[in-house]
Amino acid sequence: MGVVLHQTSKNTLIIFLGFFVGGINVLFLYTHFLEDDYYGLVTFLLSSANILLPLMVFGMQHTIIKFFSSYKSKINRDNFLITAIFLPILIILPLGFLGSLFYNFITEILSKENIIIKDYTWLIFFLAVFMGYFEVFYAWSKVQFQSVFGNSIRELFARISISFLLFAVYFHWIDNEQFIYAIVWVYFLRMLIMMIYAFRLYMPET
């Protein structure tokens, strides 16, 4: 119980810090450093990716938390976690194929209200995959009773990285378009860091 309370208190502090950094980004940095159209584009891309996220990973993050403890042997646990990693690919690949097949149709629909979306629609797919697999590996760490690091990456990493990127836009180190692509890289790195950490906590044997 002491471990749970200790991690809960740390996670609560991290969440408050995340809200604080996010508030600074939304209220000050985005509105002063980024053009309005690109601010709206960022919001649209991230919101759309969050909508697709559960579909992309087939709810595996919840499945891991719910059923991992029911497997008692290491072999069964390893097989379960390996399945949790590879099963979403059976969803991601067909969706990616359909998305590329009907890409022009999708972009025309999404860009009716704002034409700027048209050139960046494909980023939604990658953001959703990166966000989804982050949640899978975060759940992986939580079933090992290690949630603080994952929560800090979840709540702080992207927000702080975006703060730096917004300052980079302000100082003209990058332009608005590069900022959009940099955000995708931030979410990729977030997923990669979480994956490495999860594997360090528990590495399945094939």
Side-chain angles (χ1 to χ4, degrees):
M1 184 62 71
V3 174
V4 174
L5 289 175
H6 185 63
Q7 292 197 31
T8 300
S9 61
K10 285 186 175 181
N11 286 332
T12 302
L13 177 61
I14 289 167
I15 290 171
F16 277 117
L17 287 173
F19 277 123
F20 177 73
V21 176
I24 291 175
N25 286 347
V26 171
L27 296 176
F28 300 103
L29 303 188
Y30 270 121
T31 53
H32 290 84
F33 295 173
L34 200 66
E35 294 178 11
D36 291 344
D37 285 345
Y38 284 92
Y39 179 24
L41 176 62
V42 171
T43 303
F44 176 79
L45 293 177
L46 295 179
S47 299
S48 300
N50 271 301
I51 292 171
L52 283 179
L53 184 158
L55 178 62
M56 287 293 186
V57 293
F58 210 52
M60 279 296 115
Q61 70 273 34
H62 305 301
T63 303
I64 290 173
I65 292 173
K66 186 173 182 179
F67 294 107
F68 179 80
S69 60
S70 65
Y71 294 94
K72 303 304 179 184
S73 69
K74 178 170 171 53
I75 293 176
N76 288 335
R77 288 187 170 188
D78 289 355
N79 289 335
F80 172 68
L81 290 175
I82 291 170
T83 302
I85 294 175
F86 287 104
L87 187 60
I89 296 175
L90 299 179
I91 304 295
I92 291 169
L93 291 180
L95 281 179
F97 174 75
L98 290 174
S100 62
L101 196 63
F102 297 101
Y103 182 75
N104 290 332
F105 175 72
I106 295 170
T107 55
E108 288 296 331
I109 293 175
L110 295 179
S111 61
K112 278 185 178 180
E113 297 295 328
N114 192 344
I115 193 65
I116 195 174
I117 295 170
K118 188 171 185 177
D119 293 332
Y120 301 95
T121 305
W122 61 278
L123 295 177
I124 296 171
F125 176 81
F126 288 98
L127 281 168
V129 172
F130 299 154
M131 289 178 176
Y133 266 106
F134 171 86
E135 293 297 333
V136 169
F137 291 117
Y138 181 37
W140 186 305
S141 69
K142 285 199 284 188
V143 296
Q144 305 303 321
F145 304 104
Q146 299 293 331
S147 63
V148 175
F149 179 81
N151 194 43
S152 64
I153 296 297
R154 185 187 199 186
E155 300 294 338
L156 293 174
F157 179 79
R159 291 184 173 105
I160 292 174
S161 298
I162 288 172
S163 297
F164 281 111
L165 290 173
L166 286 167
F167 275 106
V169 172
Y170 177 75
F171 289 111
H172 303 291
W173 297 336
I174 60 175
D175 59 27
N176 290 283
E177 184 174 352
Q178 290 170 327
F179 173 80
I180 299 298
Y181 291 112
I183 285 180
V184 180
W185 280 106
V186 165
Y187 279 90
F188 170 75
L189 288 174
R190 190 180 77 142
M191 177 201 70
L192 186 63
I193 292 169
M194 196 68 243
M195 180 185 73
I196 293 170
Y197 179 72
F199 284 152
R200 288 187 64 183
L201 290 176
Y202 188 95
M203 175 63 77
E205 296 177 2
T206 55

